């Protein structure tokens, strides 16, 4: 099938590119052959960004590829999705799943800039904060700026935790984030397996230690670790600081510049899909991936069977109900995911019921309550909720900032989010919000893996042409890291099938690509 010019081309490639790994897979003249077809399974952060990275390479290097995205749901975004209060789309959308990214999350940041999406900042209007141990408030503040730095300025925090606990924690977090941003640099590695990326960033120690071990052994006090850090890991990963690994714990504390996208983070992923030109198949569940030949796979969905040269799996394997070619499923270690119940509701109560917290009527109750058993914890302590957050007032879409909606009750309503290990009952909600509950929506998620120390990582490349984005999740599970995992998978795929990459063989812009240039983002600027 190869045309006569191939040997010449190969000779050329061999003589000009010492770095070439797969010279025999150089494409012939694009017009001379059918496009390579690539399937992506899942249209969440991982799958949508995979399509976007493929499109970047296609645009830069003129690759002859066609991409199909399979998505079982009727929407783009996966675990990043919004709902409208009262199911009424004239009300502002509220995040039901992933809500926050931070300023060092350069793909989300850059994407929102380039796609003209508006960010809102969580530090702007945080109301008061309290840590609740199931019996008492360990600690409350008048206002919270949403960053660890804010704690240092708070006189009550100084008293409770000592000056050095927050500052030393800040240093540990800064050390890890300063190194992390190299993942966006021109010299970022491409990793065929997860051990490679763990080693490249020196994350081995943090990943092999428990969060509690990591901080206690570095001089952070028990009180700070088991109260404040624990509350952060519970709200971020639904896991206490003594069960999840140090890296995920550090990630829970790296809150600088916390932001979200107005009208929904999923709009980033929608833009990824639209700009990629990929064909999106919504409401389409994939049931099997099979080998058709040494160079082809078939993907079977409820629309039938189609043939592809490469397949990118961008959904957690153990919940995706997809059968793989023989032997491959065994390569993916069992991966338990957490269970989290998210309850969104509206209430005319401006704060939770003081009586629920054993306080006198009229006593101040914070608008953001995080639960932690504190220092006097027992293994397997369960609290009724992980967090209660008064998010925003019910507002009409497009209403001026600060303008709340006033309904028939004549009162403004708050939108509140509750995270809990079990579903909360109507009676519990009525007690907590003094009978003033309007709209309620409950959703059970498997939000993120159990982030155990020394996780057994699945292969990133399952086989020639078959890649697994969510192999990254046992390391860290966030929207941003899924876009990074997808970027890596796309680079691997392009090297394997086209002797190309998202950037390679394009020359990196030397002026712009200095590692010291903070605006450079690998994949966008190469
Ligand atoms: C309540 C909650 C809060 C969170 N908070 C944050 C946060 O604040 N910040 C943050 O960064 N992250 C947060 N996360 C984690 C974040 O949502 C995930 O890490 C990230 O969105 C995962 O993206 P993904 O594309 O890998 O997977 P998913 O978003 O799960 O996407 C996978 C997609 O594949 C589809 N799919 C599955 N099986 C099939 C099949 N057989 N055929 C076709 N399609 C299939 C699914 O429908 C889904 O759309 C939170 C998660 C939850 C649930
Ligand atoms: C997907 O299914 C939903 C109903 O479950 C329907 O409303 C929607 O129009 C469908 N979308 C597509 C693209 O088929
Ligand atoms: C964003 O806005 C700029 C300037 O108005 C425009 O050039 C660009 O095309 C817009 N991008 C998208 C994705 O809409
Ligand atoms: C800082 O991070 C590096 C890895 O980048 C690690 O080797 C070093 O031990 C860390 N320092 C501290 C004080 O944790
Ligand atoms: C990971 O890949 C590297 C090559 O980059 C290889 O040296 C190493 O053995 C691999 N490790 C595992 C666990 O497969
Ligand atoms: C390289 O980057 C610099 C700085 O962003 C920019 O001014 C210049 O135009 C870029 N050069 C090319 C060839 O893209």
């Amino acid at each position: 099938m190869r045309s006569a010019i191939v040997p010449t081309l190969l000779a050329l490639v061999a003589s000009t590119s010492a770095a070439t790994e797969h010279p025999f897979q150089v494409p012939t003249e694009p017009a001379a052959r059918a496009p390579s077809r690539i399937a992506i399974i899942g249209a969440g952060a991982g799958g949508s960004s995979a399509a976007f990275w493929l499109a970047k390479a296609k645009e830069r290097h003129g690759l002859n590829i066609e991409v199909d995205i399979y998505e079982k749901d009727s929407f783009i975004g996966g675990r990043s999705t919004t709902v409208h209060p009262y199911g009424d789309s004239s009300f502002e959308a509220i995040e039901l799943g992933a809500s926050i990214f931070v300023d060092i999350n350069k793909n989300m940041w850059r994407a929102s800039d380039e796609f003209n999406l508006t960010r809102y900042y969580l530090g702007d209007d945080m109301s008061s904060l309290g840590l609740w141990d199931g019996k008492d408030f360990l600690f409350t503040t008048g206002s919270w700026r949403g960053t660890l730095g804010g704690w240092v300025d708070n006189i009550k925090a100084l008293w409770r935790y000592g000056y050095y606990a927050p500052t030393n924690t800040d240093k540990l977090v800064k050390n890890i984030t300063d190194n992390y941003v190299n993942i966006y640099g021109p010299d970022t590695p491409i990793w065929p397996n997860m051990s490679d990326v763990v080693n490249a960033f020196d994350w081995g120690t943090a990943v092999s230690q428990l969060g509690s071990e990591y901080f206690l052994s570095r001089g952070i006090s028990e009180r700070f670790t088991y109260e404040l850090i624990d509350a952060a890991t519970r709200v971020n990963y639904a896991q206490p600081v003594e069960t999840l690994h140090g890296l995920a714990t550090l990630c829970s504390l790296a809150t600088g510049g916390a932001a979200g996208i107005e009208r929904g983070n999923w709009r980033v992923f929608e833009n990824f899909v639209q700009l990629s030109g990929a064909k999106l198949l919504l409401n389409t569940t994939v049931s099997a991936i099979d080998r058709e030949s040494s160079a082809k796979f078939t993907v079977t969905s409820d629309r039938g069977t189609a043939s592809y040269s490469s397949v990118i799996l961008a959904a957690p394997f153990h919940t995706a109900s997809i059968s793989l070619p023989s032997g491959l499923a065994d390569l993916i270690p069992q991966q338990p995911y957490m269970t989290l119940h998210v309850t969104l509701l509206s209430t005319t109560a401006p704060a939770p019921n003081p009586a629920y917290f054993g306080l006198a009527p009229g006593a101040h109750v914070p608008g953001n309550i995080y639960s932690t058993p504190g220092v006097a914890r027992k293994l397997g302590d369960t609290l009724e909720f992980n967090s209660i957050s008064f998010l925003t007032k019910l507002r009409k879409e497009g209403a001026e900032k600060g303008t709340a909606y006033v309904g028939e009750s004549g009162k403004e309503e708050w939108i509140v989010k509750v995270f809990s290990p079990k579903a909360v009952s109507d009676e519990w909600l009525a007690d907590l919000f003094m009978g003033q509950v309007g709209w309620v929506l409950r959703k059970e998620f498997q939000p993120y893996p159990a982030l155990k120390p020394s996780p057994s990582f699945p292969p990133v490349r399952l086989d020639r042409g078959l890649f697994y984005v969510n192999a990254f999740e046992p390391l860290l599970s966030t929207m941003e890291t899924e876009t990074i995992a997808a970027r890596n998978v796309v680079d691997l795929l392009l090297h394997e099938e086209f002797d190309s990459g998202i950037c390679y063989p394009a020359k990196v812009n030397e002026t712009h690509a200095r590692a010291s240039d903070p605006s450079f983002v690998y994949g966008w600027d190469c």
Side-chain angles (χ1 to χ4, degrees):
M1 288 288 286
R2 291 195 189 266
S3 74
I5 65 160
V6 173
T8 331
L9 252 182
L10 285 179
L12 194 68
V13 169
S15 66
T16 56
S17 169
T20 300
E21 284 173 29
H22 301 281
F24 298 98
Q25 283 158 359
V26 162
T28 57
E29 295 273 54
R33 60 175 229 183
S36 280
R37 302 189 67 229
I38 299 168
I40 297 173
I41 302 167
S48 66
S49 60
F52 180 74
W53 298 124
L54 283 167
K56 282 273 183 197
K58 182 175 178 175
E59 172 195 311
R60 287 184 185 125
H61 317 309
L63 303 179
N64 188 16
I65 55 175
E66 275 178 17
V67 180
D68 289 347
I69 307 174
Y70 290 84
E71 170 52 58
K72 77 172 160 61
D73 281 336
S74 58
F75 56 89
I76 294 172
R79 279 170 271 170
S80 171
T81 189
T82 51
V83 294
H84 294 282
Y86 294 99
D88 176 346
S89 60
S90 73
F91 288 121
E92 260 183 5
I94 309 291
E95 296 288 0
L96 181 61
S99 48
I100 299 170
F101 56 92
V102 295
D103 54 12
I104 55 169
N105 288 167
K106 294 193 181 190
N107 289 333
M108 292 297 290
W109 213 264
R110 180 66 172 267
S112 49
D113 283 344
E114 294 217 357
F115 305 159
N116 301 327
L117 299 170
T118 310
R119 287 184 297 266
Y120 60 88
Y121 299 93
L122 272 89
D124 287 356
D125 50 11
M126 267 317 250
S127 59
S128 55
L129 168 113
L131 297 186
W132 169 250
D133 75 358
K135 288 196 210 72
D136 294 300
F137 276 114
L138 298 169
F139 179 75
T140 59
T141 70
S143 69
W144 182 44
R145 283 204 263 117
T147 67
L148 270 182
W151 286 91
V152 180
D153 303 330
N154 189 294
I155 196 77
K156 281 200 261 175
L158 286 183
W159 166 77
R160 185 165 184 88
Y161 297 115
Y163 181 75
Y164 290 103
T167 50
N168 282 350
T169 305
D170 271 347
K171 279 184 199 147
L172 292 170
V173 173
K174 185 171 186 314
N175 185 38
I176 216 98
T177 55
D178 282 354
N179 188 24
Y180 160 85
V181 294
N182 292 321
I183 211 160
Y184 305 104
D187 301 321
T188 180
I190 295 172
W191 52 94
N193 57 49
M194 290 302 296
S195 339
D196 252 21
V197 68
V198 168
N199 293 335
F201 288 92
D202 217 347
W203 288 331
T205 312
V207 171
S208 63
Q209 287 188 328
L210 293 166
S212 47
E213 237 175 288
Y214 185 88
F215 284 98
L216 293 174
S217 69
R218 285 165 178 75
I220 306 303
S221 73
E222 284 213 337
R223 176 165 271 188
F224 194 77
T225 303
Y226 286 123
E227 292 185 0
L228 187 83
I229 299 180
D230 185 59
T233 64
R234 282 170 192 260
V235 71
N236 261 283
Y237 283 123
Q239 292 156 76
V241 70
E242 73 271 24
T243 68
L244 90 172
H245 59 63
L247 190 68
T249 306
L250 285 157
C251 175
S252 307
L253 297 169
T255 56
I261 302 288
E262 274 181 15
R263 302 184 304 131
N265 293 322
W266 59 268
R267 293 190 183 266
V268 167
F269 311 130
E270 179 188 51
N271 271 272
F272 279 155
V273 171
Q274 280 172 359
L275 293 170
S276 77
K279 185 165 155 199
L280 174 65
L281 305 165
L282 291 175
N283 294 344
T284 309
T285 304
V286 171
S287 54
I289 302 168
D290 291 293
R291 268 225 170 274
E292 183 181 308
S293 67
S294 62
K296 283 223 182 312
F297 292 96
T298 56
V299 169
T300 304
S301 72
D302 40 23
R303 286 181 195 242
T305 296
S307 176
Y308 298 94
S309 58
S310 296
V311 179
I312 295 174
L313 176 57
F317 173 67
H318 295 290
T319 49
S321 303
I322 297 176
S323 73
L324 294 181
S326 74
L328 297 186
D330 300 338
L331 299 176
I332 308 181
Q334 281 303 319
Q335 177 58 66
Y337 271 65
M338 304 308 292
T339 298
L340 180 71
H341 292 264
V342 177
T343 307
L344 283 172
L345 61 103
S346 70
T347 177
T348 49
N353 186 359
Y356 175 90
F357 299 97
L359 300 174
H364 168 74
V365 181
N368 289 280
I369 305 171
Y370 298 111
S371 75
T372 165
V375 178
R377 63 188 50 219
K378 294 191 284 304
L379 200 67
D381 268 329
T382 54
L383 295 156
E384 287 186 320
F385 63 86
N386 301 346
S387 62
I388 298 171
S389 312
F390 278 62
L391 296 178
T392 177
K393 289 193 179 142
L394 177 67
R395 300 196 313 171
K396 285 285 183 184
E397 191 91 68
E400 248 178 73
K401 226 174 158 44
T403 320
Y405 173 80
V406 177
E408 281 169 17
S409 67
K411 286 183 178 167
E412 295 180 347
E413 292 174 56
W414 281 93
I415 302 297
V416 180
K417 187 182 274 186
V418 178
F419 283 177
S420 55
K422 295 195 182 118
V424 295
S425 67
D426 288 343
E427 294 71 31
W428 190 83
L429 291 175
D431 178 25
L432 197 61
F433 300 102
M434 297 164 284
Q436 302 170 45
V437 177
W439 162 73
V440 180
L441 185 141
R442 294 180 177 82
K443 168 85 181 163
E444 180 179 340
F445 277 109
Q446 292 195 284
Y448 6 70
L451 295 155
K452 296 219 159 54
S454 303
S456 42
F457 293 110
V460 176
R461 177 184 176 278
L462 288 161
D463 197 358
R464 197 216 68 80
L466 182 55
F467 301 90
Y468 185 34
V469 173
N470 300 68
F472 205 93
E473 274 200 88
L475 185 65
L476 287 173
S477 172
T478 66
M479 296 181 283
E480 177 72 13
T481 45
E482 289 302 282
T483 69
I484 293 172
R487 187 193 79 188
N488 177 63
V489 152
V490 167
D491 258 333
L492 289 172
L493 182 156
L494 293 170
H495 279 283
E496 182 173 88
E497 199 177 330
F498 303 96
D499 182 37
S500 184
I502 297 170
C503 294
Y504 173 85
K507 283 271 171 287
V508 164
N509 178 341
E510 300 291 346
T511 326
H512 192 48
R514 278 173 292 113
S516 58
D517 179 348
S519 69
F520 179 89
V521 185
Y522 175 81
W524 298 84
D525 293 313
C526 51

